[in-house]
Amino acid sequence: MSNTKILALFLIIASISKSLQLTINCDYNKSPSVTNGRLKYKLVKEPYSCVLSTLNIKSKLLVQSVTGKHLDKNKNDDVKALKIIGGGIISSTGKESSDNVLSVCEVIPAGIGSVFRNIEALTVWRSNLKTVSSRDLQQFANLREIWLFTNELEYLESKLFQYNPNVEVISFNANSIKFIGENFFSYLPKLQKAFFHYNPCVDEEAVDGTQLAAIKNTIKEKCAVKETAQPLHVTVDCKFEVSSVWKTVKDPYGCTLQKSNFDRKLFIGNVTGSHAKGRSISDVKALQIVGGVCQIIPGEFGSIFQNIEALSVKKASLKLVTGRDLQQFSNLREIWLEANDLNYLEGKLFEFNPNVELVVFKDNKIKFVGDNFFSYIPKLREADFSGNECFDDGKTAGLKLNAVQERVKEKCVVEEPTFIYTTIRPDGLTYWDSRKSEKDDGEGVGADFKVLNSLVG
């Protein structure tokens, strides 16, 4: 290899390496950083803290340096708490920030533990945290308590705390947790308190030994998965092709999957398949899942195919679709979920997809549609609900949009509780938990939803 090529290769590697490096700016303080006190730690009393409230992390980065002025004579080794916070904070100067200010921290950066070697308490709050692994936490060898609440976590691996044997308090309140590795608690020998409120598969807390035993049992029954037998990250093989089956998106280049087996909530780890000449991942605008089994739409498709405008799941036994499932497709313009087993559509299904122009739910088993369903798709031009129990009387083919909307509102709409959580377990069953408020134990749920629970229970 010539010296010129070697130099070019070196510069490319150096450029990539530099792009993965991160400098963080700490607001150092010793006081609680949230007005209502939710970030007061249980074990580490008013620790000297590094507070981060202006991050924008959407991939794995490496912290190379830290800026910010230490208080008094403190140094990096005096920092015992790290707080990554999304809003409503008070800085060390006493100035309150807006709730709209949001630190984005989808992945915990590496290298923090090399800068702050004595971290005992870690918080990531309201920061869109999507994933956490034992590798992320390995850098915090002295960790005693961890608060990862009000984020977007869906899955906790069994060995999450394998490098943190001294952890005594954990909080995963208000995430979207559906699955937890079956040996999760075996790596927490000193655990005293656990908080799992407002998650799809578990809504409890434990502050003593009796409650810990109870929450472990709940998680075993409703959340636990055998990771070795049922890996949650899968590889799919695409047939990449241009397709003319779409109405709104004209002849897009897309990925077609046939004979898939998504029998529970899975996550796409890798995609194989031969691209057409001159095409790449960034050119993919359509995703079709045809036949096979797709009980719930896998996560992280949108991380691989970032420009999806058209989505189809057809004749694949789809049982459930939620706003969280569709959030990954921010550019979505049309969606076909035809000939499946859907029986309920939540009102906020398209909360994160305001550009949708066409929806097809033809030939499902839909009995209920959440109120305000259409208010989240202001650009809608065409909708097909024919062949569903609450909608179709055999005379609905070809109805105009306003007629479809009126018929759905008349025949299908139910008033939704404030909180409604859904999940499909590894055994394929659907579980529902709905409440009018945070304090409601579920007994106050309306008659329609009691019927709904009996249908999918």
Side-chain angles (χ1 to χ4, degrees), residues 392-411:
D392 201 3
D393 61 2
K395 302 176 182 179
T396 59
L399 285 180
K400 292 184 177 180
L401 178 60
N402 61 344
V404 172
Q405 291 174 320
E406 289 301 318
R407 192 174 186 86
V408 168
K409 291 176 182 178
E410 177 187 354
K411 299 285 188 179

Side-chain angles (χ1 to χ4, degrees), residues 344-412:
Y344 165 67
L345 302 178
E346 63 180 351
K348 293 185 177 182
L349 181 60
F350 295 108
E351 179 180 8
F352 306 105
N353 314 99
N355 296 315
V356 166
E357 300 175 49
L358 181 150
V359 297
V360 176
F361 296 102
K362 181 180 178 181
D363 296 334
N364 277 276
K365 302 173 182 178
I366 297 171
K367 297 179 174 69
F368 301 97
V369 177
D371 55 355
N372 300 317
F373 177 84
F374 291 104
S375 65
Y376 291 93
I377 34 181
K379 296 182 181 180
L380 188 66
R381 295 189 293 111
E382 184 176 349
D384 188 347
F385 281 79
S386 61
N388 284 285
E389 182 170 325
C390 73
F391 183 91
D392 201 3
D393 61 2
K395 302 176 182 179
T396 59
L399 285 180
K400 292 184 177 180
L401 178 60
N402 61 344
V404 172
Q405 291 174 320
E406 289 301 318
R407 192 174 186 86
V408 168
K409 291 176 182 178
E410 177 187 354
K411 299 285 188 179
C412 308

